[in-house]
Amino acid sequence: MLSFWEENTFNHVDIAIVGAGITGLSTAISIKERAPHLKVLILERGIMPTGASTRNAGFACFGSLSEILDDIENFGKEKAHQLVQWRWQGLQLLKKRLGTKKTDYRNWGGFELIRESETHFLDRLPEINDMMEDIFETKIFSEKKGLIKKFGFRNIETVVQNTLEGQVDTGKMMYEMMLLAQKLGVMIWTNCLISKWRNDGDEIRVGLQDDYRGGFSLHAKKLVLCTNAFTENLLPKADLLPGRGIVMITKPIEGLKIKGSFHLDRGYFYFRNFGKRLIVGGGRNLDKEGETTTDFGLNQKIMDDLQYKLKNIILPGRKVEIEQNWSGIMAFGHDKMPLIKTIADHVYVAVRMGGMGVAIGSLVGKRVGEMVLDEAPEMTEKT
Ligand SMILES: Cc1cc2nc3c(=O)[nH]c(=O)nc-3n(C[C@H](O)[C@H](O)[C@H](O)COP(=O)(O)OP(=O)(O)OC[C@H]3O[C@@H](n4cnc5c(N)ncnc54)[C@H](O)[C@@H]3O)c2cc1C
């Protein structure tokens, strides 16, 4: 049971946001930046964010050459261009808000490793450079075969460089984002698994449960679901499937020459340095069915492949020890665009960030904030 004080003050908010990942935090920050007087509450099921945002590999990226070509093939040129633009704009907003120092944002560039069977991608490099020039005001991709020797790769035909890509310390980025939200006056309640909400016309009621008070329902004027891969219970018909991503980090490697963010195989496989260590991840395409899960487990087949690539392509002939493996859960749909919608009066959803949320999450949060505050139109490829 709630006390009179709890009911009067804590249990009534202007905006309730479910999910304390990048999207939920960015939405809350965007709202408070524009409307500091509003009472904004984030409800998070875990002790800390428990989805993708604290469990990714920290690439500040916006698409490798082969990933963009894949997107054009699957979704058309307009959407492929829009996604790159949103990712780029999202990264600028992220940097502006959090700065580069505290998040360890490093602009060391991005590199795509092209194998012999993939050299046909290079035929379309000039076309993609032209297509993206309005975003970057430069020809973004260039072939740099000499980098194979510099980095010591094997079984690679050439390398495509992108000088604008960066990387962050994911932990620090999320920590700083939470601090910023709290500094702006956002309340964050953790250990709150939300399983139901209902629209009562002039307010939204959100079901909460606690060991000391039992069940009660929060009153919110507006509700935003930023629950990404875990949205099914709250919105059963959403076009969304979970996709697990596996990451491993090595122990420090003496004399490591690799510095920057690296991609292979249309963005499905990636690695980067973290100080003297390497972070290696991806491989979801090797077992798409098995990886369509919300379970934070590991997949031996994929981990074996990551280790194989480490030994045969990235650090040939070097003995490398893995310090830790983990996984995070992303959300995908039939379309690669994020799903940002008004789903009922005063209820919004911003989910399906795919493998792009570090980049796109801040912009999505800003856009949802506009929808919440101004009833602005949804974020589609036309807006
Ligand atoms: C391995 C991996 C690598 C990645 N690499 C990159 C990359 O290089 N670049 C990039 O841009 N992106 C990358 N991503 C994607 C990026 O991390 C995600 O797109 C982004 O973090 C999604 O943020 P989000 O806030 O939408 O979702 P999430 O971070 O999943 O947050 C959703 C939150 O909602 C909470 N929640 C869910 N349901 C409920 C409920 N019912 N009640 C209360 N709380 C709930 C969850 O606990 C979670 O904290 C990667 C992801 C993974 C897993």
Side-chain angles (χ1 to χ4, degrees):
M1 176 201 309
L2 295 176
S3 76
F4 171 80
W5 313 113
E6 289 165 344
E7 175 59 42
N8 254 13
T9 304
F10 284 82
N11 207 33
H12 286 77
V13 298
D14 292 303
I15 294 151
I17 297 168
V18 186
I22 296 170
T23 309
L25 287 166
S26 304
T27 301
I29 290 168
S30 302
I31 291 170
K32 286 296 268 184
E33 279 174 347
R34 280 191 49 204
H37 61 285
L38 292 183
K39 203 192 265 185
V40 178
L41 169 65
I42 297 181
L43 301 158
E44 165 58 44
R45 64 180 185 159
I47 286 174
M48 57 180 104
T50 310
S53 298
T54 52
R55 308 179 71 82
N56 57 55
F59 281 57
C61 62
F62 39 82
S64 64
L65 175 65
S66 67
E67 182 187 348
I68 294 171
L69 288 170
D70 208 36
D71 287 351
I72 292 175
E73 176 90 17
N74 292 323
F75 312 111
K77 272 192 172 180
E78 195 181 340
K79 283 187 180 175
H81 179 273
Q82 183 72 87
L83 277 175
V84 172
Q85 188 166 44
W86 282 348
R87 289 164 84 173
W88 179 242
Q89 289 171 346
L91 286 170
Q92 305 320 305
L93 182 56
L94 179 76
K95 279 199 276 187
K96 189 171 150 213
R97 275 196 181 138
L98 304 182
T100 50
K101 234 180 175 171
K102 286 185 182 160
T103 56
D104 232 340
Y105 193 110
R106 309 281 183 153
N107 229 104
W108 282 330
F111 308 88
E112 177 163 20
L113 279 57
I114 306 282
R115 291 169 292 189
E116 200 179 353
S117 59
E118 296 167 330
T119 49
H120 59 94
F121 292 136
L122 296 168
D123 300 342
R124 296 187 65 189
L125 188 149
E127 173 199 333
I128 301 303
N129 271 344
D130 288 348
M131 185 178 149
M132 301 300 170
E133 200 165 358
D134 63 325
I135 301 174
F136 302 109
E137 292 170 2
T138 183
K139 305 276 187 204
I140 187 70
F141 296 119
S142 55
E143 189 187 354
K144 291 277 161 68
K145 205 167 176 147
L147 291 175
I148 299 178
K149 197 166 171 208
K150 179 181 168 193
F151 291 127
F153 299 139
R154 194 179 289 162
N155 299 318
I156 289 300
E157 194 56 30
T158 191
V159 173
V160 172
Q161 184 180 28
N162 156 4
T163 51
L164 294 182
E165 215 169 272
Q167 51 176 262
V168 288
D169 178 321
T170 292
K172 288 182 179 166
M173 175 193 73
M174 283 299 289
Y175 187 77
E176 289 300 322
M177 209 179 269
M178 290 182 94
L179 285 188
L180 175 61
Q182 285 167 326
K183 199 170 138 197
L184 291 169
V186 175
M187 281 189 295
I188 304 177
W189 293 359
T190 59
N191 242 329
C192 295
L193 174 69
I194 307 304
S195 51
K196 50 186 182 220
W197 59 272
R198 71 167 199 269
N199 193 332
D200 272 1
D202 54 352
E203 66 174 7
I204 315 296
R205 304 295 295 263
V206 183
L208 282 169
Q209 173 80 33
D210 129 341
D211 287 351
Y212 312 99
R213 294 169 183 82
F216 60 99
S217 78
L218 177 87
H219 304 246
K221 290 186 186 139
K222 299 195 176 187
L223 174 68
V224 190
L225 305 179
C226 298
T227 41
N228 209 30
F230 309 92
T231 304
E232 201 187 356
N233 290 344
L234 295 169
L235 197 63
K237 288 191 183 134
D239 166 20
L240 185 147
L241 281 176
R244 183 167 61 190
I246 290 174
V247 185
M248 45 178 64
I249 186 163
T250 68
K251 292 193 170 166
I253 302 166
E254 272 321 306
L256 182 72
K257 288 189 263 177
I258 292 167
K259 195 162 135 185
S261 308
F262 297 80
H263 310 267
L264 189 76
D265 196 6
R266 297 161 293 147
Y268 277 114
F269 175 78
Y270 46 84
F271 59 98
R272 56 166 280 198
N273 69 304
F274 179 73
K276 286 182 174 177
R277 302 161 190 264
L278 276 187
I279 295 174
V280 184
R284 202 172 48 84
N285 54 330
L286 299 177
D287 183 5
K288 269 206 171 155
E289 206 184 319
E291 295 305 287
T292 304
T293 174
T294 52
D295 182 86
F296 288 96
L298 296 169
N299 181 324
Q300 196 57 48
K301 181 180 171 190
I302 292 175
M303 292 197 303
D304 288 347
D305 184 72
L306 297 180
Q307 293 238 32
Y308 177 86
K309 289 195 169 80
L310 202 48
K311 283 187 189 132
N312 291 284
I313 296 177
I314 309 169
L315 290 169
R318 296 283 309 261
K319 191 168 175 292
V320 181
E321 282 182 85
I322 302 299
E323 176 149 325
Q324 198 178 336
N325 304 292
W326 70 89
S327 66
I329 313 294
M330 296 170 271
F332 300 92
H334 81 279
D335 197 327
K336 200 172 167 180
M337 310 306 267
L339 179 64
I340 305 161
K341 272 178 91 122
T342 304
I343 49 168
D345 282 350
H346 313 305
V347 184
Y348 312 83
V349 65
V351 295
R352 208 172 68 192
M353 301 299 136
M356 310 176 295
V358 171
I360 216 170
S362 299
L363 188 72
V364 169
K366 181 166 180 254
R367 197 52 202 253
V368 181
E370 285 162 3
M371 286 166 65
V372 169
L373 294 176
D374 310 330
E375 302 293 337
E378 289 158 10
M379 185 171 171
T380 67
E381 58 270 31
K382 301 272 177 325
T383 56

